[in-house]
Amino acid sequence: MTTIEMLSALTANDIFFRIINMVIAGLDQNNTPTYRPEYHITIGQRGHELFLAIDDDLDAAVRVAFEWCQHENLIKTAIQ
């Protein structure tokens, strides 16, 4: 299953996800934040955040989050 298919399955099952693709790495010599790539996938349902997957690779982070949803039986219907 591709990343887009997994995200579509989450949406079809009323599971929200939030993707953050950058985190603060530190401050430069002018005290301005510097950033580095890192993916945070927050999973939630009915207004509650339930799980956070963190990885340097978007596909891997989405897969971890999707598999957690499957394990917790949050995915009831498969996409066609």
Side-chain angles (χ1 to χ4, degrees), residues 25-67:
L27 300 174
D28 65 11
Q29 65 274 15
N30 297 320
N31 286 331
T32 303
T34 58
Y35 297 90
R36 65 179 168 80
E38 183 176 278
Y39 295 95
H40 293 202
I41 312 293
T42 303
I43 295 295
Q45 196 170 45
R46 292 184 293 279
H48 298 281
E49 293 183 0
L50 304 172
F51 183 74
L52 174 65
I54 300 172
D55 203 293
D56 291 335
D57 178 60
L58 176 62
D59 296 330
V62 170
R63 182 162 305 284
V64 167
F66 183 80
E67 289 173 355

